[in-house]
Amino acid sequence: MKIGELAKRSVLTAHTIRYYERIGLLPYADRDRSSRRDYDGSILVWIEFLGRLKTTGMPIRDMLLYADLRDRGSGTEAERRALLERHRESVRAHVDELNACLLVLDTKIGGYAETEQRMKDYDATLAERRRKPVGARSPRTR
Amino acid sequence: MKIGELAKRSVLTAHTIRYYERIGLLPYADRDRSSRRDYDGSILVWIEFLGRLKTTGMPIRDMLLYADLRDRGSGTEAERRALLERHRESVRAHVDELNACLLVLDTKIGGYAETEQRMKDYDATLAERRRKPVGARSPRTR
DNA sequence: CTACGAGTTTGAGCGCGCTCTAAGTCAAGA
DNA sequence: TCTTGACTTAGAGCGCGCTCAAACTCGTAG
């Protein structure tokens, strides 16, 4: 698979794939005789996992640590696990924070909804008054 | 309240407070006779709300839209509400995404845990063999 | 044979959100 | 009076994560 094809099959652009290789997030890809990158489909799994780390807010710096442990292979499992566990906790904490913010947002939106409802009620009252005027006055608009 | 005091009482630095004022995220603060900013405690509520928007990933560009509607006062409630509702949906979507990633992370970590358990089992087996050697061979280390 | 399109490299540039510097002003305390 | 330190401004600089530009090389289709 050439870089263009990989770009289509992943969420990354060819530019980003080269950039990730440069910084070490993607392994150095084998080149064909004309020095073009030729990928194995298995790289997609790694890219997808990197995507999860990115989505969950892990900085590239930390992804590099993980990628390095992975490259070093067996014997690094405990460290990799520890890294992911630390990250998981920070993601959980962030989710909790977001949920707390969602409550505040709900309250705020609820406040606007009430205001809107009061305005509708007021309009309805005015309409009612136009239909059944209270005094001797005729209905008016201002 | 002077800017230093406000910085202490909020999560922002004095630098950031000035920056936010410059870009319009904080209202232009009244100055005392020596042109120093003098704040009313009520600004803290607004800063806190901006913090929620920031935590939930709203870009400054959008906060400025909201701040502008707020400055324009009554008549902008519907728009403000719509803005917050759109944001709320995007935050909810993001939380869902994070939760999905957490599942993947759990699986990955679970995989490392299994490997670790297999290693412990293996170690235990070796220890067992050292205590009750099977053949006529004496226990060895390599 | 030539033109095209997809790839290569190195390195510059960008958008975001701050963060800091430099040079100056001012008020209060020793 | 002098010093200290918190403040003022305009503008430069930074870390992150890309994103693009320039100049070049190939392989293939017409």
Side-chain angles (χ1 to χ4, degrees):
Chain A
M1 192 187 344
K2 291 294 188 301
I3 199 172
E5 177 71 11
L6 179 58
K8 267 170 213 150
R9 291 174 58 179
S10 68
V11 287
L12 307 177
T13 67
H15 281 311
T16 306
I17 293 166
R18 290 194 203 98
Y19 167 68
Y20 278 6
E21 183 186 293
R22 243 194 300 184
I23 64 173
L25 214 44
L26 291 180
Y28 184 84
D30 293 337
R31 311 301 212 253
D32 65 12
R33 2 179 179 17
S34 57
S35 54
R36 292 179 181 197
R37 291 167 182 82
D38 207 344
Y39 292 96
D40 180 327
S42 66
I43 193 74
L44 283 165
V45 178
W46 176 236
I47 289 178
E48 202 179 317
F49 185 64
L50 286 178
R52 306 276 182 191
L53 296 182
K54 181 183 162 186
T55 295
T56 51
M58 182 185 282
I60 282 183
R61 177 182 347 111
D62 292 358
M63 296 187 207
L64 285 176
L65 282 178
Y66 186 84
D68 186 50
L69 291 172
R70 191 182 111 104
D71 289 349
R72 282 163 43 202
S74 66
T76 63
E77 290 84 0
E79 241 180 301
R80 277 186 262 170
R81 183 187 175 187
L83 199 157
L84 292 189
E85 281 178 342
R86 257 179 283 124
H87 182 57
R88 179 172 60 180
E89 288 324 300
S90 88
V91 176
R92 279 181 183 157
H94 189 218
V95 168
D96 288 349
E97 203 174 29
L98 290 182
N99 280 322
C101 287
L102 277 176
L103 287 181
V104 173
L105 228 36
D106 286 344
T107 307
K108 195 88 178 178
I109 290 168
Y112 286 127
E114 272 172 35
T115 306
E116 216 165 279
Q117 194 50 52
R118 274 199 297 278
M119 283 169 65
K120 278 179 188 163
D121 290 350
Y122 181 65
D123 286 350
T125 307
L126 288 189
E128 185 70 4
R129 283 183 189 160
R130 278 195 293 279
R131 275 198 300 282
K132 310 177 184 175
V134 171
R137 281 167 273 130
S138 57
R140 284 182 192 237
T141 46
R142 61 174 190 93
Chain B
M1 193 187 344
K2 290 294 188 301
I3 199 172
E5 176 70 11
L6 179 58
K8 266 171 215 151
R9 291 174 58 178
S10 68
V11 286
L12 306 177
T13 66
H15 282 311
T16 305
I17 292 166
R18 291 194 203 98
Y19 167 68
Y20 278 6
E21 182 185 292
R22 243 193 300 183
I23 65 173
L25 213 45
L26 291 180
Y28 185 84
D30 293 338
R31 311 302 212 252
D32 65 12
R33 9 192 172 3
S34 58
S35 55
R36 293 178 181 195
R37 291 167 182 81
D38 208 344
Y39 290 95
D40 180 327
S42 66
I43 195 73
L44 282 164
V45 178
W46 176 236
I47 289 178
E48 202 179 317
F49 185 64
L50 287 178
R52 306 277 182 189
L53 296 183
K54 182 183 161 186
T55 295
T56 50
M58 182 184 282
I60 283 183
R61 178 182 345 114
D62 292 359
M63 295 186 206
L64 285 176
L65 281 178
Y66 187 84
D68 185 51
L69 290 171
R70 185 178 166 272
D71 289 348
R72 281 161 45 202
S74 66
T76 64
E77 291 83 0
E79 241 180 301
R80 276 187 263 171
R81 184 188 174 185
L83 199 158
L84 292 188
E85 282 179 340
R86 258 180 281 123
H87 182 59
R88 178 171 62 180
E89 288 323 302
S90 87
V91 176
R92 279 181 182 158
H94 189 217
V95 168
D96 289 349
E97 204 173 28
L98 290 182
N99 280 322
C101 288
L102 278 176
L103 287 182
V104 173
L105 228 38
D106 287 345
T107 307
K108 194 89 178 175
I109 290 168
Y112 287 126
E114 273 172 35
T115 304
E116 217 165 280
Q117 194 49 53
R118 275 197 297 277
M119 286 169 65
K120 278 179 190 165
D121 290 349
Y122 181 66
D123 286 350
T125 306
L126 287 188
E128 185 71 3
R129 284 182 190 161
R130 277 194 294 279
R131 277 196 299 280
K132 311 178 184 174
V134 171
R137 279 166 275 132
S138 57
R140 290 180 186 233
T141 45
R142 61 174 189 92

